Amino acid sequence: MSPITTPTFKELIQYPGLLAALFGRTLSSLALQTLSVAIGWQIYDLTHSAASLGFVGLAMFFPLLILVLPAGHMSDRFNRKNIVVVCLIIEAFCGIILAWESLHHQLTPSLIYTILVLFGCARCFEMPCQKTFLVNIVPTHYFPQATALSSSLFQTSSMLGPAVGGILYGFGADLTYIVCTISFFLAAIATFTIQFKPTQKTPMPLSIENLLGGIHFIFSRPRILGAISLDLFAVLLGGATAMLPIYAKDILHCGPIGLGVLKGASAVGALLVATYLTKHPIKHNAGKKMFVSVLIFGAATIIFGLSTNIALSVVCLAILGGADVISVVVRSTLIQLLTPNEMLGRVSAVNMVFIGSSNQLGEFESGMLAEALGPINSVVLGGIGTIIIAFLWMYLFPSLRKVDQLNHLKPDQ
């Protein structure tokens, strides 16, 4: 086997369209993270209910569950770049509605949930298309590094977004929504300028076989199924981030700015690890390192759940974020490089359901469990569940545990 090539930053960005793709994704992520702080704080401020925070995740997840199959089909049939641009414009209009209603003091929980459903519909079609950009821009042997670079920028936005959201919210929710709206529009413009030659789309009639193609492909590939389902259950159970508004207000007593710091802490850890992986990619034992990172994720979740000190909580969230990004890089590389381009949209859409289940549905699960058992018990039990899942998946998916070099992947038989 040839050694893993580690390209410089200049070598990576020479590929046409890479900068525009990264800028568009980073800016839309920045807007989304900023928006999440404003909505989370405003919902809890209006309702004072942990369950209401869970319903925020459910409102985002519901469209994903309903539209995933047609979204994947459209991604493999039509121009993916154009789909992303339209979706970003819809998200910008959602921001306009939130800003207008908030400015006129007419924003209610039910209206917020309605806007989130519309927002979730747009994200459902955007994400599977957006996830195919990198693999069509950079060559295969550079893909792990490009993924790490993309993750670095994503985590930077995840770090800045909550902090920006907390600061802006201090000046008013309407200002926060206006800034998010502008960011979504700029992301749409950047995406529209991406320069890469779209792959030839073959005629693909709308049929049950084609709609279910992504599901069949994933379930016939043990390494892909194991990686995706590991993330699903680990993050679904370890949903500490959904409880951050409660921790900020009732446990750590640090206010909306503190909430922004807490939300950004995991991104700081993730950014440091992702930046390191850009220069020093995982060369061997990628599967084992992914499982270790999930175990660390679970342990950090438990300690965070028990913490009443904001400094310790920030450190735990940073460790949690750093561990998570290792799993993200390994999983993303596995999916992108083991999936044919003509199937990539449908596979990415199904993967999006797993991610959405672990994030949005995880928020709902955490909210309901916190309502019943209290936020601390909810977070601690989730961390314990994550550790159990990691050990169980090592046994159930031995081929995933044995993955070695990411740039020498061979399809499962």
Side-chain angles (χ1 to χ4, degrees):
M1 292 184 178
S2 59
I4 292 181
T5 304
T6 305
T8 65
F9 178 75
K10 289 183 178 180
E11 288 176 324
L12 275 178
I13 64 174
Q14 70 178 334
Y15 295 100
L18 181 59
L19 281 179
L22 293 176
F23 182 75
R25 181 175 187 264
T26 302
L27 200 56
S28 64
S29 172
L30 179 65
L32 181 62
Q33 294 295 329
T34 302
L35 194 70
S36 69
V37 172
I39 288 178
W41 189 268
Q42 195 163 33
I43 280 286
Y44 191 63
D45 196 41
L46 289 171
T47 64
H48 302 286
S49 168
S52 66
L53 296 174
F55 284 121
V56 169
L58 186 62
M60 290 285 288
F61 175 73
F62 181 73
L64 178 63
L65 188 63
I66 300 300
L67 298 174
V68 57
L69 295 180
H73 180 82
M74 287 185 63
S75 176
D76 285 334
R77 185 174 183 181
F78 300 106
N79 187 299
R80 292 166 178 164
K81 184 180 77 171
N82 292 342
I83 293 175
V84 173
V85 170
V86 171
C87 291
L88 287 169
I89 292 174
I90 293 174
E91 291 164 22
F93 278 107
C94 289
I96 291 175
I97 296 173
L98 288 170
W100 178 267
E101 296 297 325
S102 179
L103 182 63
H104 292 82
H105 306 288
Q106 297 176 345
L107 197 58
T108 62
S110 59
L111 180 57
I112 293 176
Y113 294 138
T114 301
I115 296 299
L116 286 176
V117 170
L118 179 59
F119 194 90
C121 290
R123 294 285 293 176
C124 183
F125 286 90
E126 172 193 348
M127 291 174 62
C129 297
Q130 196 176 58
K131 288 181 177 296
T132 66
F133 286 172
L134 283 185
V135 77
N136 287 302
I137 294 175
V138 299
T140 299
H141 57 281
Y142 280 177
F143 187 77
Q145 288 75 30
T147 300
L149 175 60
S150 176
S151 183
S152 297
L153 294 173
F154 176 80
Q155 297 303 335
T156 300
S157 66
S158 298
M159 175 181 62
L160 294 177
V164 171
I167 293 172
L168 289 176
Y169 195 88
F171 293 95
D174 51 330
L175 177 61
T176 309
Y177 297 136
I178 290 171
V179 171
C180 291
T181 297
I182 295 172
S183 298
F184 283 127
F185 272 124
L186 292 177
I189 294 172
T191 302
F192 184 75
T193 65
I194 293 176
Q195 299 177 8
F196 62 82
K197 185 178 180 181
T199 55
Q200 184 68 32
K201 301 291 183 180
T202 57
M204 185 171 55
L206 185 61
S207 66
I208 296 298
E209 182 180 359
N210 286 329
L211 285 175
L212 299 179
I215 297 175
H216 174 75
F217 183 88
I218 289 174
F219 277 85
S220 65
R221 270 62 177 186
R223 287 183 292 182
I224 295 179
L225 176 61
I228 292 177
S229 57
L230 173 65
D231 177 75
L232 165 64
F233 289 105
V235 180
L236 177 66
L237 295 172
T241 55
M243 296 295 102
L244 290 185
I246 297 177
Y247 270 81
K249 189 167 187 176
D250 298 335
I251 298 176
L252 300 174
H253 308 289
C254 54
I257 294 179
L259 174 60
V261 173
L262 289 172
K263 278 185 169 288
S266 61
V268 172
L271 174 62
L272 294 175
V273 173
T275 302
Y276 178 84
L277 292 177
T278 302
K279 295 293 294 181
H280 307 281
I282 297 174
K283 295 183 177 180
H284 297 285
N285 299 317
K288 293 179 181 178
K289 291 176 180 177
M290 181 179 68
F291 278 112
V292 170
S293 72
V294 174
L295 292 172
I296 295 173
F297 180 94
T301 299
I302 294 171
I303 299 174
F304 169 80
L306 297 172
S307 172
T308 57
N309 179 278
I310 188 169
L312 176 60
S313 298
V314 168
V315 170
C316 288
L317 289 171
I319 294 173
L320 183 152
D324 183 55
V325 81
I326 296 175
S327 175
V328 168
V329 170
V330 175
R331 185 180 69 255
S332 297
T333 303
L334 280 168
I335 295 170
Q336 298 286 325
L337 297 186
L338 293 180
T339 305
N341 189 67
E342 64 273 11
M343 181 69 68
L344 194 53
R346 282 166 288 174
V347 170
S348 295
V350 177
N351 181 40
M352 187 176 64
V353 173
F354 282 82
I355 295 174
S357 298
S358 61
N359 292 327
Q360 280 82 47
L361 195 57
E363 290 179 8
F364 177 70
E365 175 270 332
S366 297
M368 295 300 102
L369 192 60
E371 190 77 7
L373 303 177
I376 294 176
N377 290 334
S378 169
V379 173
V380 171
L381 288 175
I384 294 173
T386 297
I387 292 174
I388 293 173
I389 287 295
F391 281 114
L392 181 60
W393 256 236
M394 288 183 200
Y395 172 76
L396 294 177
F397 298 94
S399 62
L400 179 60
R401 188 183 69 247
K402 296 176 183 177
V403 169
D404 190 27
Q405 292 189 11
L406 292 177
N407 68 339
H408 290 291
L409 291 170
K410 294 182 179 179
D412 293 300
Q413 301 301 318

